[in-house]
Amino acid sequence: MTTEVDRSEHIRLSNHFVEIDGIPSIPVSGEIHYSRIPRDQWEERLRLMKAGGITVVATYLIWIHHEETRGNVRFDGNLDVAAFVELCGEIGLDVVLRIGPWCHGEVRNGGFPDWVQASGVGLRTDDPAYLELVRSWFSALGDELAPLCATDGPVIGIQLENELYDQPEHIRTLKHLARKAGLNAPVWTATAWGSAQLPTGEVLPLYGGYGDGFWVDADSPWDPTFRAHYFFSHTWDDPGIGADLRNVAVEETGGSEALIGTVFPPATCEIGGGMATAYHRRPRPSALDIAAVAQTKIGNGSAWQGYYMFAGGTNPAGISGMQESHATGYPNDLPRFDYDFAAPISASGQLNESFAALRSQHAFLRAFGGSLSTMPSTLPDVRPRDVDDTTTLRWALRSDGASGVLFIGWHQPHVPLPPVPGVQFDINLGNDRVTFPTGPIDIPSGTLARWPLRFHIGSERLEWATASLLTLLDQDGNRPTLVLQAEPGIPVQLALTGDASLAVAPESVGSIEHCGNYWTLDSSDCVTLTVNDGSADILILPAARAADAWVLESDTGRELVLSAEPIWTDADGLVARSSDRPAVERYVPAQRTLVFVAFSAHSDAAPFMTEAVVTPLTQAPPPPTEYGSVSGRSSAPDDQAPASTYLLEFPPDARRPDDGVNLVLTLQWEGDVGRLAVDGTVIADRFWDGSEWTVLLSDIPADAMLTVEIVPLSPESPIHLPADADRRRRQALHPLDGISGATLTRSVIWREAHATTTD
């Protein structure tokens, strides 16, 4: 791959790292399903992904979405995959096509159309009758995508099948069929977890890591396969992913993991960007949960960070629903429409807190991935004894022997970690040792750190720092600015080489204490430090502002922007979406200060937020404890289950459609199952997990009647809920059923206002 048959000058693989345009790099891929997102939302989601540090878009091509009826293959509207891939290329994002033909993705039949599922052929095998069906599907895809799979096209990778464990020759056959259909890529991939047996040298093995999952039983404790992802290790396989559907015996040989470092670099495609909710089990990972797993993979030596999902979506309605369910033979009931996945970008296009937490890591990888990718991962001599160890600090080092990055991951859900007192590191680098910080410190629970060791800033060298690497700005070409992020509860200390000097820039407010060759910073705001009277700068972001930091690519290079609003860039500069005038600051290295960016509204529509009037129309009777079960897992109530109905009414003109306007409904509610109906037709649904429910209403007629149906939740229901929602359920004296708030947010596009000059 990438060198002979599928030669590429853009992407190449070594056994340890990935090269992009001839430079060692760490790609970051994010999953988004075009067929689950309105077409008019594609560009904004993709630009947000790029602004969040995603460099590669991964997407399933879900067969049942395209050919629900045999012979009627559709590529119109939301199904126009060629237009989607072209748009990715225009925005500057590479693409990995996950062509299946079986993909799972919580879709009915794993993505097979019903007529394929019922065909009687040997599915997912080299049965000639099955291969004939696949040949027809791949041919249809080739007609759409072959020009985009050329050497200089945006498609850099193709995944074959998904979670297929014991048929390496079938994967080889699928690769041949894809090539024959004109589907080519420099990198071919396959999922390798579960000790999968893959055809050696034919596909890049990809791994994953979820900190929790819907696929275990409701009464199961936090599974060790989930817990392991909060520990640094050099084990990439995960026997837990897909275990609920695995029905074949796989030899415990380590699968393709043995190829890492000898043939292929360690790569992932399914680090949990969130988690779906099944009816019986509804995990809700926090931003810190998600970021901790991702950072652990980087510390483990990741050469390719891949997330599932990065942008949530909504299932097409289809003839009878497209989701995985008990009715279609799966062990899990999932919502008919909802595939939000608690992803960094929600199904409604809103940003969850995990977006900022991951964005910080991606900015780091973009700036330092070239050097980091060539640094092997090493683990300390003293490591946690097992997944129950909550006292031994979890950390790892990536280093080339001369410099490195120390990673700390001191967070996990469900089982709290206490602060670790008296921590000081003694690291062997080259021919001597680096001991830091200057004295023992306490590591608070929730710390995710990436501390530099002997890092160069232009001609200067930072010996170490107790603040995390974020990015390197070098816009003016002569005075680089290293940007570090302070950690909550940890003093910022920095050490420089020899007799180098460090001072607070006159433009900054803060104080710095000097002792020997190290300095301790005292400031609650952004501070610029000058090295040796200006040969380089170090900008320190306080922990309180870290979530607002965006590192964007512009015509002048990388720029640092602070914004609580969603922002991205296009050819004309900064773009923001907001329900109010955005407050955005850009760091100007030449001035060593932050300046506010002027914005103008892109449309005449006025942004605002307004509360709905919620009127109860019907009241459901007390619900049963359970609506049935399959293999001990509770089944979701069907459409005939009694539900309370609530009418939502908004002020006149609040829902008037306008170009560039997004209307998002936010519901604070409680119950078991919620369904949003437009003129009596359900268009969205949700299983309650204690969180808000947001729905994009931009395409809904302004005069349509909006109602919410809520199936009440029995306090004795045997489903698994997040801890806070579970407390509400168990403390309730009556079934949970109600809406406590409904808000309509009207947001518009704002564009950077550039100064104009006249003669």
Side-chain angles (χ1 to χ4, degrees):
M1 291 186 292
T2 75
T3 56
E4 296 179 3
V5 177
D6 300 297
R7 187 171 184 84
S8 171
E9 298 302 322
H10 176 50
I11 181 170
R12 301 183 74 176
L13 303 179
S14 78
N15 57 334
H16 290 294
F17 56 84
V18 180
E19 284 186 359
I20 302 294
D21 296 329
I23 300 171
S25 306
I26 299 180
V28 181
S29 58
E31 189 90 8
I32 176 174
H33 297 155
Y34 60 90
S35 58
R36 283 169 156 159
I37 294 176
R39 183 169 180 162
D40 61 4
Q41 294 289 314
W42 285 353
E43 182 171 358
E44 184 168 319
R45 306 291 167 91
L46 292 172
R47 289 196 180 277
L48 277 172
M49 289 176 74
K50 185 177 181 181
I54 297 297
T55 62
V56 183
V57 164
T59 187
Y60 278 138
L61 284 70
I62 302 173
W63 193 354
I64 192 173
H65 288 183
H66 288 272
E67 195 178 3
E68 190 172 10
T69 302
R70 187 170 190 175
N72 182 24
V73 187
R74 296 178 49 204
F75 292 101
D76 59 315
N78 300 354
L79 301 175
D80 192 345
V81 60
F84 178 79
V85 174
E86 286 176 347
L87 181 59
C88 291
E90 292 169 7
I91 292 173
L93 293 163
D94 293 329
V95 178
V96 171
L97 301 173
R98 305 178 82 184
I99 64 173
W102 190 91
C103 62
H104 193 200
E106 288 67 65
V107 185
R108 185 170 82 238
N109 311 325
F112 284 151
D114 290 347
W115 55 269
V116 172
Q117 186 75 7
S119 62
V121 302
L123 300 174
R124 307 177 72 187
T125 72
D126 275 352
D127 179 347
Y130 171 66
L131 295 181
E132 191 57 39
L133 299 179
V134 174
R135 186 177 289 108
S136 176
W137 168 233
F138 280 6
S139 177
L141 292 179
D143 290 344
E144 298 291 315
L145 294 168
L148 299 167
C149 295
T151 302
D152 57 350
V155 177
I156 63 166
I158 294 177
Q159 178 182 306
L160 300 165
E161 251 285 345
N162 191 58
E163 300 179 348
L164 190 65
Y165 303 100
D166 63 346
Q167 296 192 68
E169 288 308 311
H170 179 56
I171 291 176
R172 195 189 307 270
T173 299
L174 292 176
K175 184 176 179 180
H176 173 73
L177 291 179
R179 286 186 188 282
K180 292 279 286 185
L183 301 171
N184 294 286
V187 178
W188 296 82
T189 75
T191 55
W193 51 78
S195 298
Q197 301 168 22
L198 303 178
T200 303
E202 295 284 348
V203 288
L204 169 66
L206 296 179
Y207 295 91
Y210 294 94
D212 206 340
F214 67 83
W215 51 82
V216 297
D217 292 338
D219 58 356
S220 294
W222 188 31
D223 194 272
T225 62
F226 299 140
R227 301 179 69 161
H229 294 294
Y230 292 95
F231 292 78
F232 293 101
S233 80
H234 295 150
T235 297
W236 290 90
D237 196 9
D238 182 341
I241 304 177
D244 57 331
L245 298 181
R246 196 176 304 147
N247 57 4
V248 296
V250 179
E251 296 179 8
E252 296 296 332
T253 60
S256 298
E257 192 172 34
L259 300 176
I260 292 178
T262 57
V263 179
F264 293 115
T268 58
C269 65
E270 290 201 18
I271 299 171
M275 181 48 57
T277 55
Y279 180 76
H280 74 283
R281 187 177 178 92
R282 310 176 189 185
R284 193 182 73 231
S286 71
L288 198 55
D289 297 342
I290 292 166
V293 172
Q295 167 139 312
T296 299
K297 298 303 176 187
I298 301 173
N300 291 350
S302 175
W304 187 323
Q305 289 283 95
Y307 298 95
Y308 190 98
M309 299 283 298
F310 200 83
T314 302
N315 292 320
I319 294 172
S320 58
M322 297 283 192
Q323 86 287 13
E324 173 181 317
S325 70
H326 286 171
T328 57
Y330 281 89
N332 314 297
D333 257 343
L334 274 87
R336 178 173 181 178
F337 295 102
D338 180 58
Y339 203 67
D340 180 83
F341 216 86
I345 304 176
S346 72
S348 62
Q350 309 306 291
L351 300 187
N352 287 316
E353 291 181 359
S354 56
F355 187 93
L358 293 176
R359 184 176 71 227
S360 170
Q361 296 180 15
H362 303 160
F364 159 72
L365 292 176
R366 183 78 174 201
F368 306 109
S371 54
L372 189 73
S373 63
T374 60
M375 294 179 176
S377 166
T378 58
L379 305 177
D381 294 334
V382 178
R383 300 194 290 273
R385 66 182 186 279
D386 54 34
V387 295
D388 293 314
D389 188 334
T390 60
T391 58
T392 305
L393 186 65
R394 304 167 191 176
W395 64 279
L397 176 72
R398 290 187 69 166
S399 170
D400 58 9
S403 62
V405 181
L406 186 142
F407 295 88
I408 300 173
W410 193 237
H411 169 77
Q412 65 183 23
H414 307 307
V415 180
L417 298 176
V420 182
V423 174
Q424 189 177 35
F425 296 95
D426 186 32
I427 306 295
N428 185 18
L429 273 185
N431 296 322
D432 60 359
R433 306 189 72 82
V434 178
T435 301
F436 77 106
T438 56
I441 62 172
D442 295 344
I443 303 295
S445 179
T447 297
L448 302 181
R450 44 186 185 272
W451 291 346
L453 296 175
R454 294 189 173 166
F455 245 70
H456 286 275
I457 321 168
S459 60
E460 307 295 341
R461 191 173 82 176
L462 178 67
E463 280 290 286
W464 53 263
T466 57
S468 286
L469 291 162
L470 180 65
T471 192
L472 182 67
L473 307 176
D474 196 11
Q475 290 185 345
D476 56 14
N478 53 35
R479 191 181 69 227
T481 302
L482 179 69
V483 184
L484 300 177
Q485 234 174 245
E487 315 295 347
I490 296 179
V492 176
Q493 288 190 341
L494 307 95
L496 298 176
T497 302
D499 58 357
S501 64
L502 190 64
V504 175
E507 299 85 354
S508 293
V509 176
S511 62
I512 191 166
E513 181 180 334
H514 180 210
C515 182
N517 70 331
Y518 76 89
W519 289 258
T520 301
L521 178 67
D522 181 16
S523 178
S524 59
D525 206 345
C526 300
V527 176
T528 301
L529 307 174
T530 62
V531 183
N532 287 344
D533 297 324
S535 61
D537 288 343
I538 301 174
L539 173 63
I540 310 293
L541 294 180
R545 302 213 67 182
D548 292 341
W550 300 67
V551 180
L552 304 172
E553 302 291 329
S554 69
D555 292 339
T556 58
R558 286 191 203 102
E559 60 180 23
L560 174 69
V561 175
L562 299 184
S563 172
E565 305 286 354
I567 57 172
W568 59 89
T569 58
D570 64 12
D572 297 323
L574 290 179
V575 182
R577 176 173 290 285
S578 178
S579 59
D580 198 357
R581 183 173 295 276
V584 178
E585 297 173 272
R586 174 189 279 126
Y587 184 76
V588 182
Q591 301 175 21
R592 295 190 174 108
T593 190
L594 290 159
V595 298
F596 280 97
V597 180
F599 281 91
S600 59
H602 186 54
S603 71
D604 295 331
F608 62 82
M609 295 178 64
T610 185
E611 293 293 323
V613 175
V614 180
T615 304
L617 299 180
T618 63
Q619 183 66 47
T625 300
E626 195 172 30
Y627 295 90
S629 64
V630 171
S631 301
R633 297 183 178 185
S634 294
S635 299
D638 60 25
D639 293 344
Q640 282 67 53
S644 300
T645 306
Y646 301 84
L647 175 67
L648 305 182
E649 296 177 288
F650 297 92
D653 294 332
R655 289 172 49 206
R656 186 183 73 250
D658 288 286
D659 182 47
V661 169
N662 273 358
L663 296 173
V664 175
L665 172 67
T666 302
L667 293 173
Q668 289 84 37
W669 68 293
E670 59 183 13
D672 189 7
V673 178
R675 304 185 185 106
L676 177 67
V678 175
D679 291 334
T681 300
V682 175
I683 64 160
D685 59 354
R686 186 85 157 200
F687 295 160
W688 183 71
D689 64 1
S691 64
E692 292 182 339
W693 179 14
T694 62
V695 183
L696 185 67
L697 297 182
S698 303
D699 295 331
I700 305 302
D703 59 351
M705 182 176 69
L706 295 182
T707 54
V708 177
E709 303 168 4
I710 297 180
V711 178
L713 176 64
S714 167
E716 290 79 36
S717 174
I719 63 173
H720 174 89
L721 289 170
D724 57 346
D726 188 55
R727 283 193 296 271
R728 285 171 63 180
R729 180 257 304 265
R730 297 191 183 282
Q731 292 170 359
L733 300 178
H734 305 285
L736 297 183
D737 173 6
I739 297 175
S740 58
T743 305
L744 187 68
T745 302
R746 182 186 180 98
S747 64
V748 302
I749 293 292
W750 300 78
R751 292 192 174 275
E752 183 174 358
H754 297 282
T756 58
T757 58
T758 57
D759 295 333

